[in-house]
Amino acid sequence: MKSILLYHNISKTFSPYGSIVFPDVFRKHIRFIKSKGIRFLRPDEFFKEDSGVLLTFDDGFVDLYEFAFPVLMDEKVPAVVFVVSGYAGKKNEWDVTMGKSFTHLSWDKIKEMHKYGITIGSHSHLHPDYSRSPLALIKKDMEVSFKVISDKIGERVEHLSYPFGRIRKDDWQLASQVGYRQAFISTPVETDNPYSLGRWGVYTIDSLFNLSAKIGLNKFRGLERLKCKGINWVSNATGIIKSFKFKT
């Protein structure tokens, strides 16, 4: 069985959204998965193998460099970090922060992580909600991010994570037109569409039992799927509020 895990931030700082996983817990997750004989795969391996786990991180906050990157290096685990190209080194003003903001990775840190084997993907340029944005805006945002990241890391960026983890039903074709080879959403759907790859969100409240369900080690995967979909549905509120600033 294959699973794609989605983390948002690894940090010692509490988040009101429940999207933080503490560094010691993250290391336990890595070691737990390893203890079950499950391989961590690079993106190019994941789509060829029958089993394994692909680790992904959305937003690209600077805490990843301090707390996740050392763990990934120590444990020799590959991962994909999706960065918001227009906010590199800046606060996450695209989000509803509720008084708690986070800083995005700078290009220097992004390039260092890439140098040591971390795959860098796009999480858009300005983080608009693609599910509520005009087609022209979506395509332009994808194109700008594709070019900026490719230029900065010195190679073609191949992977896209839709901002807020969603896009309208048929608009995924824009990602293909721009040049991305795979694109990811934030709910654990099963599909053969390489531009709508589902992921299992990992949250502050998740125990090793929950993680086991996400990677298919217990019979409660169906319930875990419903929980992940419910959390993603609640996150619609942020997209609704912030989408107004992108409307033209």
Side-chain angles (χ1 to χ4, degrees), residues 117-144:
I118 302 300
T119 300
I120 303 300
S122 169
H123 195 43
S124 79
H125 187 62
L126 295 176
H127 211 294
D129 187 341
Y130 286 173
S131 70
R132 296 182 174 85
S133 300
L135 289 179
L137 185 152
I138 296 171
K139 189 171 185 182
K140 181 180 179 181
D141 186 83
M142 287 183 182
E143 289 173 336
V144 172

Side-chain angles (χ1 to χ4, degrees), residues 14-247:
F14 179 76
S15 165
Y17 300 109
S19 57
I20 293 288
V21 173
F22 299 115
D24 60 330
V25 174
F26 178 61
R27 190 182 288 274
K28 286 179 183 177
H29 288 180
I30 299 299
R31 292 183 172 175
F32 174 78
I33 293 170
K34 279 186 168 184
S35 75
K36 301 301 179 181
I38 298 173
R39 289 181 61 212
F40 288 97
L41 304 173
R42 298 189 306 270
D44 59 324
E45 295 176 316
F46 185 84
F47 301 106
K48 299 174 184 176
E49 300 292 332
D50 294 325
S51 63
V53 167
L54 175 62
L55 280 186
T56 68
F57 298 86
D58 276 6
D59 302 322
F61 293 127
V62 72
D63 287 334
L64 295 180
Y65 181 84
E66 183 175 356
F67 299 113
F69 186 39
V71 174
L72 296 173
M73 293 297 97
D74 288 348
E75 300 290 339
K76 296 179 173 57
V77 170
V80 186
V81 174
F82 293 104
V83 300
V84 186
S85 53
Y87 281 93
K90 302 175 183 177
K91 297 286 187 181
N92 59 328
E93 295 177 353
W94 52 264
D95 202 357
V96 177
T97 61
M98 296 175 62
K100 179 61 182 177
S101 61
F102 292 92
T103 301
H104 290 273
L105 289 161
S106 65
W107 285 115
D108 285 345
K109 287 182 169 58
I110 292 168
K111 286 188 280 189
E112 182 181 350
M113 294 174 77
H114 178 252
K115 176 183 175 181
Y116 284 96
I118 302 300
T119 300
I120 303 300
S122 169
H123 195 43
S124 79
H125 187 62
L126 295 176
H127 211 294
D129 187 341
Y130 286 173
S131 70
R132 296 182 174 85
S133 300
L135 289 179
L137 185 152
I138 296 171
K139 189 171 185 182
K140 181 180 179 181
D141 186 83
M142 287 183 182
E143 289 173 336
V144 172
S145 189
F146 182 92
K147 184 179 188 308
V148 169
I149 297 174
S150 297
D151 288 347
K152 290 289 186 180
I153 67 174
E155 66 180 45
R156 170 187 173 137
V157 61
E158 297 189 337
H159 312 289
L160 169 69
S161 167
Y162 302 119
F164 299 105
R166 51 187 172 261
I167 193 167
R168 287 185 295 263
K169 184 177 179 181
D170 296 320
D171 292 352
W172 61 263
Q173 297 175 68
L174 295 173
S176 175
Q177 293 169 14
V178 168
Y180 296 102
R181 293 182 177 169
Q182 287 95 27
F184 299 77
I185 61 175
S186 294
T187 50
V189 300
E190 295 181 3
T191 176
D192 293 326
N193 183 349
Y195 293 94
S196 188
L197 296 164
R199 295 180 293 171
W200 297 83
V202 185
Y203 304 100
T204 309
I205 62 173
D206 286 328
S207 64
L208 290 180
F209 181 84
N210 298 115
L211 185 65
S212 296
K214 296 175 200 291
I215 60 177
L217 294 182
N218 66 44
K219 62 183 179 180
F220 294 97
R221 205 176 201 219
L223 287 175
E224 191 65 28
R225 190 189 307 274
L226 289 175
K227 185 187 84 176
C228 287
K229 287 183 176 181
I231 291 172
N232 186 257
W233 181 84
V234 171
S235 75
N236 271 319
T238 298
I240 292 171
I241 293 169
K242 300 302 287 189
S243 64
F244 287 106
K245 72 177 280 191
F246 291 102
K247 287 187 176 179

